[in-house]
Amino acid sequence: MLERVTLDGAKPFTGYADRHDPESERLYARSGGQAMDWLCDAWRYRFNQLRSNRCKYGKDKTLVPIGGEPDTRSVSRSRSECSWLAAVPSLILESPTRIERVEWFTAVQRRKTLLGKRLKPGRMPRFKSYKRDGQRFVCWHNGGRNAVYRQVNRNHGIITITGQNPKGMSLPGEPLRYRILLHVRVSQPIREYTAIQVDWTNRTVVFNNTPTPVKHEPTGRAVGIDRGCVHAAADSDGRFMDLPKDRLKAIDREIRKRQKAQARRAGNAGYSSEREYAKSGKTSRAYRRTRLEIGRLHAKSKRILDDVYQKYTTRLVRENDLIVLENLRLANMSRRNKPVPDPLHEGGYLPNGQAAKHGLNRSLRQASMGRLSSMLAYKTRLAEGVGMILVNPAYTSQTCSRCGHVDKKNRESQAVFVCKKCSYTANADVNAARNILERGLDTLAVTSENLWGADGTPVEQGRKTNGNATRESVAVS
Ligand SMILES: [Zn+2]
C-alpha cells in the first residue's frame, strides 16, 4: 500500500557522522528511503529508552531494570543530546510513550490472568529490535498537526510528514522545514484518524481510527446466542453461523507442514529443540524464510476469522434490540482434565477424557469465542438502542425450552435435543440459544422496571439482588 516516498523542502538532518562529535560531518537523508529508515530508527530508539525504565524481579527478589542502566531522559533532553533525534517530528517521538505503556501493562494483565488459570503466562515484551520487529514507526495526527492525508485520485493519496531541522543545520540555501511525502495506494475512503502506523519493512500504512457505530433502527427483536463447537454460533431463531472450516483447515495444514520442516532443520543442525535453534542465532536462511511464511499464514487465518465475526456481529446488532449471550468461562472449558489414578497399578492412570478434550480445546480455540462477545460488546455500546446481556449458561443445554424440564438425558447427541417429558425435539444448539434468550428476558424483567427508558432504549444496568444466584446480569447499555 505504501508505494514510494519522496522528499520536499530541506533535506532532513540525521545526525553527525560521529554521533557525539559536533565537529564531525553532518549527515542528511538524501532520499525518501533514507528518511524513512532514519524515522524508524529514531522511533525505536525512543521506544527502547522508555522500555529501559521497566523493571523485573532479579535473583534476590529485588526490582532491577530489564536492560541494565535505565535511560530516563525526556524527549527534549534526548533531542538536544542525540544529534540524530534533533530533527525528528515531535509527534513521532511522543507516540512511543503510550504504545510502550499499553504493551507493557497488557502483558502484565495477561500474565496475571493466565497464571490465575494455571496456564502458561507467556513472556513479557522486550526491547524492540531491528531484526525481530522490523522497521516501523507511529506518527500522531493530533487533529491535523502532522501526518496529513490528501486524496490524489480514486485509489491514491499522499501522507505528508513535516518536520524542521534545528537552526543552522539545513544545507546551504535550503529552508529549515522538510516534508516527507508517503505515496500510498488506498482501497477504501480514509475516515477520520488519530494516527498513522507505518511498517517500512512490509511497506504498509495503517490509519488508526475510532470505529463508527453500526446503523440500527429499532426492530423490537431480541435474540439469544449459543456458542458451540459444531456450529460456531446458533441463535434462538434457528440460524447458524459457521466458520469457513475448509479454508482454515487448509491453512492449518500448511502451517503444520512448515513447522515439521522447521523442527527437522533444528534437528539437523544438532539442536534438541527448535527454540534452542532459534535462540542460537545461527539459523539458516531457509529457516528464517519459513518462519516468516508461518507468521503470514497465522495472520491470514486470523483475518479470515475476523471477517466472519465482524459480518456476523454487525448483522446481529443491526437486526436486534437485545442480544443475550452466555457468560462463558472459557478457562473452565479449556483447562486440562484432572488425572485419574489407576487403583490397580501404582503410578498408572486411567483414561480421563483428556485426549477427547484436546480435540475440543482446539476447535474451541479455533472458534475463538471470546471474540464474538468482545466484538458484540463494543458494537452494542456504540450503536444506539441495542443492549447486550450476559447470562449464566448453567444447564442451558439440558433444559427443554418448551416445558422447562431439566435432564441430562435430554441431550440425545451433540446435535439433537429431545425432551424426555414433552418430547420436544430441536437442534441442541438452537434449544440452548432459546434458553439463553429466556434467561436474558427474565433478568431484564426482574433487574429493574426502568431498565428500558422512556424512549425504549435500555438505560442503566446493575447486578441483580433478588438472591437468584444462577443468573448473572447485565452488561451493556
Ligand atoms: Zn419439554
Side-chain angles (χ1 to χ4, degrees), residues 400 402-405 419 421-424:
C400 171
R402 189 159 81 183
C403 71
H405 179 62
C419 179
K421 200 166 159 198
C422 74
S423 64
Y424 168 72

Side-chain angles (χ1 to χ4, degrees), residues 157-213:
I158 294 175
I159 305 166
T160 309
I161 293 174
T162 46
Q164 193 165 354
N165 288 336
K167 274 211 179 70
M169 287 300 190
S170 284
L171 286 169
E174 284 191 346
L176 282 183
R177 293 188 77 75
Y178 63 81
R179 301 204 303 157
I180 301 170
L181 307 176
L182 281 58
H183 301 255
V184 293
R185 192 159 42 105
V186 292
S187 48
Q188 48 184 321
I190 304 297
R191 289 193 285 122
E192 211 170 288
Y193 57 97
T194 53
I196 58 161
Q197 294 177 41
V198 181
D199 182 341
W200 182 234
T201 307
N202 297 315
R203 298 289 193 272
T204 58
V205 180
V206 173
F207 291 87
N208 285 2
N209 43 27
T210 43
T212 48

